[in-house]
């Protein structure tokens, strides 16, 4: 008679985890593909919407140009994929959550869901802030300071890359409160240390804003000022979730 030993149990458990991981990955990819296919017919309209902040600031008759032959085809597709990735982020994160949740403690589950939801909302807020506030201000500033006799004729692919960098910079920077809360939960810092280090943080924020934004004062200020406010929000949130002595986590 054959008896299953510890090695057999470990192999079975590993296979179950790998199968679950494959299932979650396939579901995540399927959701992303469905959203992308739904957006492809509107790729050109999406690009027209994205180009509006620049076109509104250009002189009458101003327009974008396509330097490469295939740019009018591939650039809107690239944008559609980025929009699909951002739009399907809740579904992708849910699949990741469903995979790791069974191994978390009850307290970790209660904290992880609000953190994930906050991260998604803050990323969307950062992108919206970039589109409705930052881009019009930046393009208004750049068109105002251009030398006389110089016509702004931006390539559509270069413009898309520029805007995507802005979106990613602001979307990631708006994660600051979530990052601070995680640091406090890990015990690496305390809310009191965050408050005491506020001055250093502000200096670091302005340096970071100068590094990741285009070389103009407007976009740097429009990133640094919200990040300073988000830092304060992170301090408040970290006080609410800071571990207290005597707390005990119990497995689910």
């Amino acid at each position: 008679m054959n008896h299953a030993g510890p090695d057999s149990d470990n192999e079975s458990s590993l296979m179950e985890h790998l199968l679950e991981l494959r299932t979650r990955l396939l579901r995540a990819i399927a959701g992303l593909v469905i959203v992308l296919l739904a957006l492809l017919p509107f790729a050109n309209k999406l690009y027209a919407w994205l180009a509006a902040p620049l076109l509104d600031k250009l002189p009458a008759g101003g327009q974008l140009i396509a330097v490469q032959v295939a740019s009018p085809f591939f650039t809107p597709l690239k944008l559609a994929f980025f929009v699909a990735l951002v739009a399907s982020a809740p579904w992708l994160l849910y699949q990741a959550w469903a995979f790791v949740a069974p191994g978390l403690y009850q307290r970790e589950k209660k904290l992880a869901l609000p953190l994930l939801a906050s991260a998604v909302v803050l990323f969307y807020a950062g992108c919206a802030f970039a589109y409705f506030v930052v881009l019009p201000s930046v393009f208004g500033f750049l068109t105002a300071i251009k030398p006389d006799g110089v016509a702004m004729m931006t390539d559509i692919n270069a413009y898309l890359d520029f805007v995507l960098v802005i979106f990613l910079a602001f979307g990631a920077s708006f994660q600051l409160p979530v990052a601070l809360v995680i640091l406090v939960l890990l015990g690496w810092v305390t809310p009191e240390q965050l408050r005491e280090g506020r001055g250093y943080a502000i200096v670091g924020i302005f340096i970071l804003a100068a590094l990741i934004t285009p070389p103009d004062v407007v976009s740097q200020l429009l990133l640094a000022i919200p990040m300073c406010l988000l830092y304060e929000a992170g301090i408040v949130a970290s006080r609410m979730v800071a571990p207290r002595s005597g707390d005990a986590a119990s497995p689910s």
Side-chain angles (χ1 to χ4, degrees):
M1 180 180 296
N2 295 329
H3 296 280
D7 292 341
S8 177
D9 292 340
N10 291 336
E11 290 179 1
S12 176
S13 177
L14 177 61
M15 287 301 300
E16 290 177 359
H17 280 80
L18 291 177
L19 290 174
E20 176 69 12
L21 177 61
R22 185 187 70 173
T23 300
R24 294 299 173 183
L25 286 174
L26 290 176
R27 289 179 180 177
I29 294 173
L32 175 61
V33 171
I34 291 173
V35 176
L36 177 60
L37 292 177
L39 290 175
L40 285 180
F42 308 99
N44 289 336
K45 291 183 178 180
L46 286 173
Y47 194 90
W49 173 79
L50 188 72
L54 175 59
L55 295 177
D56 290 342
K57 300 298 180 181
L58 292 178
Q63 58 185 353
L64 297 172
I65 62 173
V67 175
Q68 299 177 347
V69 176
S71 291
F73 175 75
F74 286 109
T75 302
L77 293 183
K78 180 179 177 181
L79 173 61
F81 176 79
F82 176 81
V83 174
L85 188 62
V86 173
S88 61
W91 172 252
L92 301 178
L93 289 175
Y94 169 75
Q95 296 304 319
W97 165 256
F99 178 72
V100 302
L104 298 179
Y105 290 99
Q106 192 63 36
R107 171 178 166 81
E108 292 171 339
K109 289 181 179 180
K110 290 181 179 179
L111 292 174
L113 279 177
L115 286 176
L116 285 175
S118 299
V120 173
V121 171
L122 286 172
F123 186 86
Y124 288 159
C127 292
F129 182 80
Y131 180 81
F132 291 106
V133 178
V134 178
L135 292 182
S137 301
V138 170
F139 295 141
F141 173 78
L142 293 177
T143 54
I145 65 170
K146 71 178 183 65
D148 294 336
V150 175
M152 291 184 63
M153 302 180 66
T154 305
D155 174 58
I156 58 173
N157 191 55
Y159 174 78
L160 176 60
D161 291 341
F162 176 87
V163 173
L164 291 184
V165 169
I166 293 291
F167 281 170
L168 291 175
F170 278 81
S173 299
F174 271 49
Q175 305 300 308
L176 183 57
V178 176
L180 295 180
V181 169
I182 292 175
L183 291 177
V184 170
L185 290 174
L186 292 174
W188 292 1
V189 295
T190 64
E192 291 72 23
Q193 290 173 328
L194 293 176
R195 187 181 67 252
E196 294 171 357
R198 181 184 288 113
Y200 297 102
I202 292 175
V203 173
I205 286 172
F206 274 88
I207 293 175
L208 180 64
L211 292 175
I212 66 177
T213 57
D216 65 273
V217 178
V218 176
S219 59
Q220 293 170 11
L221 289 176
L222 288 176
L223 177 59
I225 293 175
M227 283 189 69
C228 291
L229 298 176
L230 290 169
Y231 184 86
E232 298 297 327
I235 295 177
V236 174
S238 65
R239 288 175 180 169
M240 299 171 61
V241 301
R244 296 176 177 84
S245 59
D247 286 353
S250 59
S252 59

